[in-house]
Amino acid sequence: MDSVFISEISEKIEFELHTGFDATQKPYILHLNNSVLIPQAFCGPREEIKVPLAQKPWRHLPGRVLWTADNRIIRDSFYRSSLVPPRLEPLANGQWRGTLPDPKFRIDDDCVFVDLLTKHFGHMLLETPARHWPDLFDEYREAYRDLKPVATRTHGLSLETSAWPKYLTDFLKSLEISFHDIHFIDQPTSFRSLFLPSRISPYSNFGMNRSYFDLLNRSATWLRKTSGLELEKSQLPNKVYLSRSELATGNRSLANEIVVEDIFRKRGFDIIHPQKLDLRTQTQIIDTATHIAGISGSQLHLGMYRGTPGLKLLRITPAHHAPPWDEMAARFTGTEITTVSFSGPSRTIANASSNWELNAENVACLTERVDAWLR
């Protein structure tokens, strides 16, 4: 959830394609001198400004923006999508002026921006490893690990690592991210020297790269080696429905998901609640199953862990929320994805996280689609 104002770009380092990379855009690292990193809470249009969406030019850029000292908006692949730039106000000539808060702190070390850390399971999988790819390569690893790691945090993540959920600490250990050394940026902070690896996860919109999946493969290997006895393949189910019905809280929950569970149970699926399993077991299930189904959500992002091709995945979505991340990842994991979408209210900011329900006609349609998918 970062926003960066650049006063001077000293160098842009583009890496040559390595064996196994599969993307049109090379991963790269920006090295920024005298930059300011501004957490999301300090960004956005000023509250008193009310203008039509069409007059907000930054909303049409595919990715987070950089607002530069000469009032230019530029875009780059190291930003999340659909987030807002620094404080803005309209000018008489139809342009906009961005106002940045003064930095509260200064860091003079050579730093690297890790990205965001979060206890939200889906964002953890998609975003936390997004910039960590330099650690995969012997020629970069030592210099990369010598940099001071900095990050932002979201979803109420505590500064006390002892309060973090185990799946997060296990995930960071498996990625070989030294999370005890991370300095969190909660106030506008200036840096003498800040390195920004480009984002390569499916959530980056452009610049997705196979190295993201190589990181998850390394994570899975670590989890198998350090988390106890690995389950035999015969102990794991072939057909799995990943349920959200017992989550304590959940955005876009299906109110009558128990009806959907029954459809799959009658067809030989095991109903799995991922939050009840450790991360090691979750990744093993994903890597050995032949068929996986579920409601669109964080639990299906576990498909990013798939290490071998051949998985068939059925995703059930409300029409107002059908993000493309799983489909984008499929060409790297060799997964065959089928999406079944049901109409609902038009997507708005107000209902983007709303719960939804299948009516009798929807249930009958889903039953037919499931049978066709299994044939």
Side-chain angles (χ1 to χ4, degrees), residues 96-135:
W96 293 77
R97 179 172 63 200
T99 303
L100 289 157
D102 293 329
K104 303 296 183 182
F105 301 100
R106 169 80 175 180
I107 298 179
D108 287 318
D109 301 282
D110 288 314
C111 298
V112 61
F113 186 61
V114 176
D115 212 292
L116 63 87
L117 267 63
T118 176
K119 60 184 181 182
H120 184 290
F121 190 79
H123 286 284
M124 178 194 79
L125 291 177
L126 286 171
E127 302 201 68
T128 296
R131 306 180 197 267
H132 190 50
W133 57 267
D135 199 60

Side-chain angles (χ1 to χ4, degrees), residues 305-344:
Y305 261 111
R306 182 72 179 193
T308 55
L311 173 66
K312 295 185 68 174
L313 190 149
L314 181 72
R315 189 177 71 143
I316 306 163
T317 73
H320 68 277
H321 184 80
W325 323 129
D326 299 314
E327 284 93 342
M328 292 171 64
R331 68 187 182 96
F332 291 92
T333 61
T335 297
E336 178 186 329
I337 293 185
T338 299
T339 296
V340 181
S341 184
F342 293 98
S343 61

Side-chain angles (χ1 to χ4, degrees), residues 2-9 30 32 34-38 42-45 49 55-59 61 63-76 78-79 83-91 93-101 196:
D2 60 295
S3 182
V4 179
F5 172 76
I6 299 177
S7 58
E8 177 187 352
I9 299 179
L30 284 181
L32 311 179
N34 301 313
S35 62
V36 178
L37 191 149
I38 305 170
F42 296 86
C43 300
I49 297 175
Q55 295 181 25
K56 300 177 181 180
W58 64 89
R59 294 299 296 267
L61 295 176
R64 192 60 143 346
V65 303
L66 290 174
W67 190 277
T68 65
D70 57 355
N71 282 336
R72 288 186 300 113
I73 292 179
I74 60 176
R75 61 185 174 86
D76 217 329
F78 52 76
Y79 291 105
L83 297 179
V84 292
R87 300 292 183 192
L88 297 171
E89 57 182 344
L91 302 178
N93 60 4
Q95 295 183 337
W96 293 77
R97 179 172 63 200
T99 303
L100 289 157
L196 286 169

Side-chain angles (χ1 to χ4, degrees), residues 252-257 259-260 317-318 320 342-345 354-360 362-363:
R252 298 172 296 276
S253 294
L254 180 61
N256 56 342
E257 188 173 6
V259 175
V260 178
T317 73
H320 68 277
F342 293 98
S343 61
S354 298
N355 295 342
W356 58 297
E357 187 171 1
L358 295 178
N359 60 32
N362 296 150
V363 172

Side-chain angles (χ1 to χ4, degrees), residues 93-351:
N93 60 4
Q95 295 183 337
W96 293 77
R97 179 172 63 200
T99 303
L100 289 157
D102 293 329
K104 303 296 183 182
F105 301 100
R106 169 80 175 180
I107 298 179
D108 287 318
D109 301 282
D110 288 314
C111 298
V112 61
F113 186 61
V114 176
D115 212 292
L116 63 87
L117 267 63
T118 176
K119 60 184 181 182
H120 184 290
F121 190 79
H123 286 284
M124 178 194 79
L125 291 177
L126 286 171
E127 302 201 68
T128 296
R131 306 180 197 267
H132 190 50
W133 57 267
D135 199 60
L136 288 172
F137 304 104
D138 293 339
E139 59 266 45
Y140 310 136
R141 187 178 300 115
E142 183 177 357
Y144 173 72
R145 292 189 178 186
D146 282 343
L147 299 172
K148 180 183 181 70
V150 299
T152 52
R153 57 196 177 102
T154 66
H155 298 91
L157 183 68
S158 172
L159 287 174
E160 298 295 330
T161 58
S162 60
W164 293 2
K166 188 175 185 299
Y167 59 77
L168 174 58
T169 56
D170 283 350
F171 187 59
L172 294 171
K173 289 176 184 177
S174 73
L175 292 170
E176 300 182 31
I177 293 178
S178 181
F179 58 90
H180 291 291
D181 298 327
I182 292 177
H183 180 89
F184 285 104
I185 306 301
D186 292 325
Q187 296 282 337
T189 302
S190 66
F191 293 85
R192 177 189 61 81
S193 172
L194 180 64
F195 289 84
L196 286 169
S198 57
R199 292 175 61 93
I200 61 168
S201 86
Y203 203 63
S204 63
N205 282 347
F206 51 103
M208 183 175 65
N209 193 280
R210 184 172 295 281
S211 287
Y212 166 80
F213 301 95
D214 291 340
L215 282 168
L216 292 192
N217 286 337
R218 186 171 79 173
S219 167
T221 299
W222 184 94
L223 290 166
R224 285 195 297 269
K225 288 182 177 178
T226 61
S227 300
L229 182 65
E230 183 172 2
L231 295 174
E232 295 291 336
K233 187 173 182 179
S234 60
Q235 298 175 272
L236 297 168
N238 289 326
K239 296 192 293 186
V240 176
Y241 179 85
L242 296 176
S243 176
R244 296 166 58 88
S245 65
E246 295 187 9
L247 289 174
T249 59
N251 292 334
R252 298 172 296 276
S253 294
L254 180 61
N256 56 342
E257 188 173 6
I258 189 171
V259 175
V260 178
E261 292 176 5
D262 191 53
I263 293 173
F264 285 94
R265 187 180 289 108
K266 290 177 177 177
R267 286 155 180 78
F269 280 69
D270 284 57
I271 310 303
I272 301 292
H273 299 272
Q275 75 275 12
K276 297 182 178 181
L277 305 174
D278 61 32
L279 188 59
R280 172 184 63 91
T281 304
Q282 293 181 51
T283 60
Q284 283 188 258
I285 289 173
I286 292 298
D287 207 35
T288 59
T290 59
H291 296 73
I292 290 177
I295 307 300
S296 176
S298 299
Q299 82 285 7
L300 291 189
H301 298 336
L302 281 165
M304 310 287 177
Y305 261 111
R306 182 72 179 193
T308 55
L311 173 66
K312 295 185 68 174
L313 190 149
L314 181 72
R315 189 177 71 143
I316 306 163
T317 73
H320 68 277
H321 184 80
W325 323 129
D326 299 314
E327 284 93 342
M328 292 171 64
R331 68 187 182 96
F332 291 92
T333 61
T335 297
E336 178 186 329
I337 293 185
T338 299
T339 296
V340 181
S341 184
F342 293 98
S343 61
S346 300
R347 180 180 173 90
T348 66
I349 293 176
N351 75 3

